[in-house]
Amino acid sequence: MLNDTTLLLVLDGVSVVRVERLADGTRRVHLATADERARACPDCGVFATRVKGSVVTRPRDLPYGESGLEFRWHKRRWWCREPGCPSSPGARTPTSPR
């Protein structure tokens, strides 16, 4: 998947949602998963249709230009609803994007 975020940050499968400038001059970049394959269950491969929740991770801050960049990656966590899949609710914890 090639988009502007991939070209700028060499991060495949994500997109920039917004950028903020903090009081100290650091730019906080909010990313979101843009690759639909993140919904695929790692056990059975079926695409999830039900969101379990969301999580924001903080990838390692990277220096960029005169001031640093700080990243917040907004990710959805998905339930696998495929009958018989070990990732289905009740079988074990829900799947989450890699």
Side-chain angles (χ1 to χ4, degrees):
M1 168 178 214
L2 184 62
N3 61 32
D4 291 339
T5 305
T6 303
L7 292 173
L8 178 65
L9 303 173
V10 194
L11 291 173
D12 197 23
V14 298
S15 63
V16 172
V17 176
R18 72 179 185 280
V19 179
E20 307 172 83
R21 184 169 298 276
L22 305 180
D24 66 359
T26 300
R27 289 162 292 166
R28 179 176 291 157
V29 181
H30 293 266
L31 304 169
T33 303
D35 191 341
E36 287 296 313
R37 294 175 293 180
R39 294 185 312 123
C41 175
D43 289 325
C44 70
V46 170
F47 280 69
T49 57
R50 182 176 172 211
V51 175
K52 182 202 185 295
S54 298
V55 64
V56 178
T57 61
R58 186 178 173 182
R60 181 175 52 96
D61 294 345
L62 304 169
Y64 187 86
E66 293 181 19
S67 57
L69 288 180
E70 184 179 282
F71 295 99
R72 297 293 188 269
W73 190 346
H74 302 258
K75 300 179 182 182
R76 287 189 175 153
R77 295 177 56 194
W78 298 92
W79 284 108
C80 179
R81 305 294 288 171
E82 186 66 16
C85 176
S87 292
S88 292
R92 67 176 182 89
T93 58
T95 63
S96 62
R98 292 171 221 151

